[in-house]
Amino acid sequence: MSIAINSEKCIGCGSCKTVCPGSLIKLNGDGKAYIKYPKDCWGCTSCIKECPVYAISFYLGADIGGAGSMLHTEPEGNILQWLIDRPDGSRIEIDIDRRESNKY
Amino acid sequence: MKTKRLKTDILIIGGGTAGCYAALTIAENSDAKVLICEKAHIKRSGCLAAGVNALNAYITEGKTPQYYVDYAKKDADGIVREDLLLTMSERLNAVTERLEKLGLVILKDKNGKYVTRGDRNLKINGENIKPLLAEAVGKLGNTTVLNRVNITDLAVSGGRVLGAYGIGIEDETFYIIEASAVLIASGGAAGLYKPNNPGFSRHKMWYPPFNTGAGYAMGIKAGAEMTTFEMRFIALRCKDTIAPTGTLAQGVGARQINSLGEVYESKYGLTTSERVYGTVRENAEGRGPCYLRTEGITKEQDESLLKAYLNMAPSQTLKWIESGLDPSQQNVEIEGTEPYIVGGHTASGFWVDTHRATTIGGLYAAGDAAGGCPQKYVTGALAEGEIAALSMIGYIADKSPESIEKSDIKAHIGEAERFLGAGVSPYTTEQLEEAMQTVMDSYAGGIKTGYRYNESQLAVAERKIGQLITLSDQLRAADNQELMYIYELKERLTVCRSVIAHLRARKETRWHSFAENLDYPEKSKIYGRKFVNSVLENGEIKIILRDINEGGAAFEHCDKQ
């Protein structure tokens, strides 16, 4: 379980670094965020929800059956739009309204 | 290293659920100065970083707080403090309403009543529960939050807490904090045992890998009485992603089945530990893998499950999508996790009185750190934060912070500087952590042995953990983050040592899997009436067996300082 940060998209705002519950994300010499301790990521996706430019995705490690899909979210107001990009280029979108409770 | 000295009325160690709520309570009921020290950032720290899918402790219509007490007591087979459960249960509904006022979405029917899931649960959208609590704390006038300050030790003198020591992870600073009262709200302990996936995904675990048992370790080292570490918590989870199973079991009524398609859960019983035990046995007897039966649920249920998991454990939703099969098309494989020590689910933690005061004067505990009161979940942790906060306000009324002795400060700074100083350790912190997890896995009832152990194995575990404690003193750190890793390892080793002593002391098997002692495979009448408690005295763990008192009468420490 870990995250990938797209350094081309990253604007170096440090929001991901701030919220990481493991203090695992740092800024490199160019002021871009990177995950210094990828094996220590819990997979909580806090950083992904914070990133204003959607530069962070999250994936399942191969050791737990990951097959290369990347998950990220693009929040729009009350809607948390989750996007899953699969290796074949297809994309799946699941929208969650923050005002609605889980059914279960 | 720079040093910074701070003074406050109340120090809260850990800005998670219990800690944040304690700060809110103090601000509402007094003008005491509060300092929260949080090793990460309170917006997304602790076990609720990713969110939470339901409120699992609520007194539903027609039920009473005593009903909840009876449920928790039965689940723990009697090893609980009813006074703690009752005082918590009495506050569950009020804290829930408060959460809603803070902005938490709770499902209501058309009459404005909460919609319940089963007898004790409410349906919510809890993805943002931690940001909501953090935002409320941020508005408090007398509360200061120090993010990325990791508290490593308590300052205690003459049986009273005087404050605590910590390290700034980003500012390379050593903190000396003096306080009239201190609340331990630092959570439980993960990472003691080898995890399900020890490789790249080693931190894909149920409980936050950043909760290292710091509070327990500080208490143990300071001589506080601790309770019931032998009641380990093992969660039944979705395989690989270690995502929660309750949503499947309670949400869509999925039953536990083996590879033959037989529903096996009824064969072993339905308490938390029995659900794990049944799965272990079915696998051991050749009827694995085990699953939660989701095949045949509706498409609408599929969609709701994908969303529900995104709100608390996104990995499971990703797993479903990557496999190309929805839950209605494939059953969800389940497994037990490695054991954790967590007082919000079992009864492990500080031995506290009804007011949540520990046996050290001025030191309080709440949430996963406090023992005797299982099945707290989120709302129970809030309730305990509230109770502890009100108790601390009373305690500090006639006290002001006392100065910590210079020699004590010097010793603690000296230790940190030694780890940061010159010298070479033959091992890295990571290597010793792996060694610790291997020892606990093999000799103290980890996944490897189906959670079972005997006295000979525990003796080996004790010896090997002792060796690792010695080796850990030689570790070296290049910066304060690495220094935090050394302290975290040392905390875990301290907790491991106590867990082993507690497992040895309960000479029975009261809870399958949670504490399965092969030398004593049955329940014992004697131990069924006892708490196993411990105190560290002159470097040795002293076990104290305390009687269980029936009923919810208030409990006070008779030998309190």
Side-chain angles (χ1 to χ4, degrees):
Chain A
M1 181 69 46
S2 197
I3 54 157
I5 303 178
N6 182 334
S7 59
E8 283 176 20
K9 282 190 186 171
C10 175
I11 53 169
C13 70
S15 303
C16 53
K17 175 176 174 280
T18 299
V19 293
C20 176
S23 306
L24 309 175
I25 302 174
K26 309 290 174 193
L27 297 181
N28 66 20
D30 301 339
K32 305 270 188 172
Y34 73 104
I35 178 155
K36 188 171 177 187
Y37 309 94
K39 276 171 77 177
D40 290 345
C41 174
W42 188 29
C44 71
T45 67
S46 297
C47 54
I48 292 171
K49 293 168 190 167
E50 288 293 320
C51 180
V53 293
Y54 320 131
I56 313 177
S57 305
F58 140 96
Y59 61 95
L60 299 176
D63 58 338
I64 57 170
S69 297
M70 307 296 281
L71 170 80
H72 78 281
T73 182
E74 299 187 6
E76 284 187 11
N78 283 314
I79 305 297
L80 210 52
Q81 183 183 51
W82 290 90
L83 300 157
I84 296 163
D85 291 306
R86 295 198 281 202
D88 64 5
S90 63
R91 173 175 267 202
I92 287 178
E93 180 182 330
I94 301 175
D95 290 349
I96 291 180
D97 189 328
R98 294 179 198 253
R99 294 162 299 186
E100 282 179 9
S101 138
N102 295 324
K103 288 213 174 114
Y104 304 119
Chain B
M1 195 161 33
K2 287 180 293 184
T3 59
K4 201 178 250 184
R5 203 162 173 155
L6 302 167
K7 251 188 180 44
T8 184
D9 294 322
I10 296 173
L11 169 65
I12 297 175
I13 303 176
T17 320
C20 282
Y21 208 77
L24 293 175
T25 306
I26 294 164
E28 270 171 15
N29 293 279
S30 81
D31 54 7
K33 256 175 72 180
V34 174
L35 179 64
I36 300 177
C37 286
E38 163 59 53
K39 76 195 294 190
H41 189 285
I42 67 163
K43 187 173 183 186
R44 291 280 184 184
S45 59
C47 32
L48 302 187
V52 61
N53 187 46
L55 295 181
N56 292 321
Y58 184 79
I59 311 301
T60 54
E61 203 168 334
K63 299 288 192 291
T64 60
Q66 188 60 44
Y67 172 82
Y68 197 87
V69 174
D70 294 341
Y71 151 71
K73 186 178 174 187
K74 188 173 171 225
D75 202 74
D77 204 349
I79 311 299
V80 295
R81 283 265 304 280
E82 290 185 52
D83 61 315
L84 300 176
L85 282 169
L86 188 63
T87 47
M88 172 193 82
S89 301
E90 285 166 349
R91 290 172 186 270
L92 291 174
N93 290 19
V95 300
T96 301
E97 282 166 30
R98 179 76 194 278
L99 269 182
E100 191 181 18
K101 285 200 183 95
L102 292 178
L104 185 76
V105 172
I106 305 180
L107 188 61
K108 287 179 168 173
D109 63 18
K110 57 179 187 288
N111 299 319
K113 282 187 179 166
Y114 294 145
V115 175
T116 56
R117 181 183 96 173
D119 278 348
R120 303 172 294 272
N121 308 27
L122 297 180
K123 300 179 181 186
I124 63 170
N125 184 331
E127 184 283 317
N128 61 347
I129 189 166
K130 198 67 219 310
L132 290 173
L133 281 165
E135 190 188 346
V137 168
K139 290 177 186 160
L140 303 177
N142 277 340
T143 300
T144 306
V145 180
L146 277 182
N147 290 309
R148 299 223 146 70
V149 171
N150 184 45
I151 300 295
T152 56
D153 274 297
L154 296 170
V156 173
S157 176
R160 185 185 155 188
V161 70
L162 304 179
Y165 301 105
I167 50 169
I169 301 162
E170 288 176 344
D171 62 3
E172 307 292 320
T173 298
F174 189 90
Y175 286 86
I176 303 138
I177 300 160
E178 287 163 331
S180 300
V182 176
L183 176 65
I184 304 264
S186 52
L192 306 178
Y193 285 81
K194 184 175 282 196
N196 292 82
N197 304 291
F200 180 74
S201 298
R202 63 185 184 182
H203 274 185
K204 188 59 242 160
M205 46 178 64
W206 164 72
Y207 200 61
F210 318 115
N211 285 18
T212 54
Y216 301 147
M218 283 185 246
I220 292 165
K221 286 195 288 181
E225 187 167 333
M226 311 300 286
T227 190
T228 321
F229 278 139
E230 75 281 9
M231 194 195 289
R232 306 174 303 167
F233 183 70
I234 299 158
L236 188 69
R237 296 285 122 163
C238 302
K239 188 164 186 338
D240 296 333
T241 60
I242 318 297
T245 51
T247 301
L248 296 168
Q250 294 179 48
V252 300
R255 310 284 302 273
Q256 288 173 235
I257 58 167
N258 60 25
S259 61
L260 306 174
E262 299 162 342
V263 175
Y264 65 83
E265 57 188 35
S266 32
K267 207 159 105 188
Y268 299 94
L270 295 174
T271 65
T272 313
S273 64
E274 286 163 347
R275 283 179 175 276
V276 175
Y277 177 67
T279 307
V280 172
R281 294 312 310 155
E282 288 298 307
N283 273 297
E285 288 166 19
R287 293 186 293 277
C290 295
Y291 301 91
L292 277 167
R293 188 170 59 201
T294 52
E295 284 177 14
I297 64 170
T298 66
K299 279 283 149 203
E300 196 190 345
Q301 286 176 314
D302 270 340
E303 197 183 311
S304 297
L305 282 177
L306 292 181
K307 288 187 177 182
Y309 276 90
L310 278 175
N311 279 340
M312 59 169 174
S315 51
Q316 184 59 32
T317 301
L318 187 54
K319 178 106 180 164
W320 273 317
I321 287 174
E322 286 213 301
S323 74
L325 295 171
D326 286 334
S328 65
Q329 297 164 304
Q330 61 175 349
N331 295 324
V332 177
E333 190 177 342
I334 51 176
E335 65 182 336
T337 64
E338 74 275 21
Y340 309 96
I341 302 297
V342 52
H345 287 261
T346 69
S348 307
F350 278 87
W351 183 243
V352 292
D353 69 9
T354 310
H355 306 290
R356 272 58 176 183
T358 72
T359 53
I360 292 176
L363 185 69
Y364 293 75
D368 284 342
C373 184
Q375 310 288 348
K376 279 173 209 164
Y377 298 101
V378 175
T379 42
L382 297 172
E384 283 206 326
E386 185 175 45
I387 296 167
L390 295 171
S391 305
M392 289 189 292
I393 293 169
Y395 177 84
I396 64 166
D398 58 353
K399 294 182 183 66
S400 52
E402 278 181 31
S403 293
I404 304 172
E405 277 189 36
K406 277 187 187 146
S407 59
D408 198 52
I409 294 171
K410 209 175 151 193
H412 282 89
I413 295 175
E415 184 187 63
E417 286 183 335
R418 188 166 51 75
F419 287 130
L420 286 166
V424 182
S425 164
Y427 304 109
T428 63
T429 307
E430 186 176 14
Q431 286 166 356
L432 294 191
E433 181 181 303
E434 282 178 8
M436 168 190 72
Q437 292 177 344
T438 300
V439 169
M440 296 301 283
D441 190 45
S442 302
Y443 300 106
I447 294 170
K448 187 177 189 173
T449 61
Y451 308 117
R452 297 177 297 175
Y453 52 84
N454 63 25
E455 295 209 341
S456 306
Q457 289 170 321
L458 291 175
V460 176
E462 185 187 29
R463 182 167 52 77
K464 287 179 179 278
I465 292 295
Q467 283 171 355
L468 292 170
I469 289 172
T470 307
L471 287 175
S472 70
D473 281 330
Q474 300 164 20
L475 289 169
R476 288 293 177 270
D479 57 27
N480 272 21
Q481 180 131 356
E482 287 188 14
L483 182 60
M484 174 175 76
Y485 292 153
I486 294 179
Y487 279 111
E488 288 181 340
L489 171 71
K490 291 176 75 66
E491 287 153 6
R492 286 182 165 125
L493 286 166
T494 300
V495 176
C496 284
R497 190 177 170 220
S498 287
V499 169
I500 293 163
H502 277 247
L503 290 172
R504 286 181 97 169
R506 183 169 287 281
K507 299 191 186 303
E508 65 163 350
T509 294
R510 177 146 302 268
W511 318 282
H512 282 305
S513 299
F514 286 13
E516 186 112 25
N517 190 330
L518 295 175
D519 288 329
Y520 304 95
E522 306 294 332
K523 285 188 207 178
S524 134
K525 275 190 181 156
I526 298 165
Y527 285 92
R529 306 283 320 130
K530 300 282 184 193
F531 288 106
V532 173
N533 287 7
S534 65
V535 170
L536 189 69
E537 275 183 8
N538 303 318
E540 297 297 321
I541 297 173
K542 187 177 110 185
I543 294 291
I544 304 163
L545 297 180
R546 290 201 185 271
D547 290 336
I548 288 173
N549 292 317
E550 297 286 342
F555 174 89
E556 288 187 34
H557 299 305
C558 47
D559 51 354
K560 202 163 116 186
Q561 302 282 337

